[in-house]
């Protein structure tokens, strides 16, 4: 049976969006990337897709993105300590969740990996992990992944400029960090028209893999 997502409404006062059934076995705390907020097309599609697998998804925004909304202009991302504090603060509101999975898109995925142990996450879900800045493959950002003490799934397009199918296998990631490759996917997991599939179909298959990963994670208590 398909679970209809209980979609939230963007509200600056509440500063969160929720999808999926209340009382779900797992709650995903989902952070956005550097250039787009929690209501971006990718974030919305991913959240609603996970909700259709019976998973509750809570989206929130980092301080710089909230400021950008209020001021009506773009703002650069906060520094990593501020981003991590904001993620921990959002997790503090989920104390009653049966199982918390920290997740993120691009920059948000990096922050999620950094705070996983602090919030007692059962696992980490990364969409388009930024293994290195685009065009700078020598500046690797592996530390958060190498330090994890829980399982992680990275959903990555094979031609993602922040870490391609040719590059990532050589990074020596630990066994607890698995990569699900989206054929011909870019940083948003979208394949080209010539691939023979659609962005919607590619995302659906990626979310099926994410849902399987979440389903078999153990429960952990927040510290």
């Amino acid at each position: 049976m398909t679970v209809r997502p209980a979609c939230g409404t963007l509200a600056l006062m509440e500063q969160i969006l929720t999808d999926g059934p209340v009382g779900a076995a797992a709650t995903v705390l989902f952070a956005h990337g550097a250039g787009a907020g929690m209501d971006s097309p990718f974030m919305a599609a991913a959240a609603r897709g996970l909700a259709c697998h019976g998973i509750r998804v809570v989206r929130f925004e980092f301080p710089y993105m909230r400021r950008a909304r209020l001021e009506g202009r773009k703002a650069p991302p906060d520094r990593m300590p501020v981003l991590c504090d904001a993620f921990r603060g959002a997790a503090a509101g989920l104390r009653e969740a049966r199982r918390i999975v920290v997740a993120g898109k691009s920059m948000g995925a990096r922050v999620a990996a950094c705070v996983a142990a602090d919030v007692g996450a059962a696992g980490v879900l990364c969409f388009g992990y930024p293994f290195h800045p685009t065009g700078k493959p020598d500046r690797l950002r592996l530390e958060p992944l190498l330090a994890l003490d829980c399982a992680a799934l990275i959903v990555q397009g094979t031609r993602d400029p922040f870490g391609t199918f040719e590059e990532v296998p050589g990074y020596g990631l630990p066994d607890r960090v698995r990569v699900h490759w989206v054929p011909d996917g870019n940083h948003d997991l979208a394949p080209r028209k010539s691939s023979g599939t659609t962005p919607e179909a590619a995302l659906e298959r990626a979310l099926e893999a994410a849902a399987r990963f979440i389903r078999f994670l153990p429960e952990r208590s927040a510290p």
Side-chain angles (χ1 to χ4, degrees):
M1 180 179 67
T2 300
V3 178
R4 292 185 178 274
C7 302
T9 301
L10 183 61
L12 290 176
M13 294 299 293
E14 296 179 0
Q15 299 176 343
I16 63 168
L17 286 170
T18 59
D19 297 85
V22 176
T27 297
V28 172
L29 183 58
F30 195 13
H32 59 81
M38 63 182 175
D39 58 336
S40 71
F42 180 90
M43 293 287 291
R48 290 167 183 162
L50 288 173
C52 287
H53 287 277
I55 298 165
R56 187 143 180 91
V57 183
V58 177
R59 289 176 271 163
F60 73 99
E61 287 189 329
F62 294 114
Y64 79 93
M65 189 59 70
R66 294 201 297 270
R67 290 195 303 272
R69 286 189 187 278
L70 291 172
E71 297 172 2
R73 57 191 177 93
K74 290 186 176 181
D78 301 301
R79 293 190 178 276
M80 187 59 71
V82 177
L83 298 174
C84 289
D85 282 347
F87 209 125
R88 294 186 195 100
L94 303 177
R95 295 291 187 184
E96 302 304 317
R98 294 167 57 187
R99 183 187 292 114
I100 295 176
V101 178
V102 290
K105 171 71 169 76
S106 193
M107 180 194 74
R110 185 183 177 196
V111 182
C114 287
V115 304
D118 298 338
V119 304
V124 181
L125 177 59
C126 304
F127 292 100
Y129 188 86
F131 286 98
H132 58 72
T134 183
K136 300 178 180 179
D138 56 321
R139 292 177 54 186
L140 293 178
R141 298 162 170 161
L142 302 179
E143 291 83 359
L145 300 176
L146 299 178
L148 286 175
D149 65 352
C150 63
L153 179 68
I154 298 173
V155 181
Q156 195 86 355
T158 57
R159 58 188 180 90
D160 189 327
F162 293 87
T164 67
F165 181 74
E166 291 75 25
E167 295 170 332
V168 175
Y171 293 158
L173 297 175
D175 292 341
R176 61 184 169 275
V177 179
R178 296 192 293 111
V179 182
H180 174 83
W181 290 103
V182 177
D184 200 53
N186 62 13
H187 194 50
D188 287 335
L189 311 181
R192 292 167 290 194
K193 290 183 179 179
S194 60
S195 68
T197 189
T198 64
E200 293 79 11
L203 180 59
E204 182 177 354
R205 288 192 290 271
L207 294 176
E208 288 172 356
R212 286 195 300 272
F213 166 74
I214 293 169
R215 194 173 298 124
F216 292 104
L217 288 172
E219 292 190 21
R220 295 178 66 179
S221 299

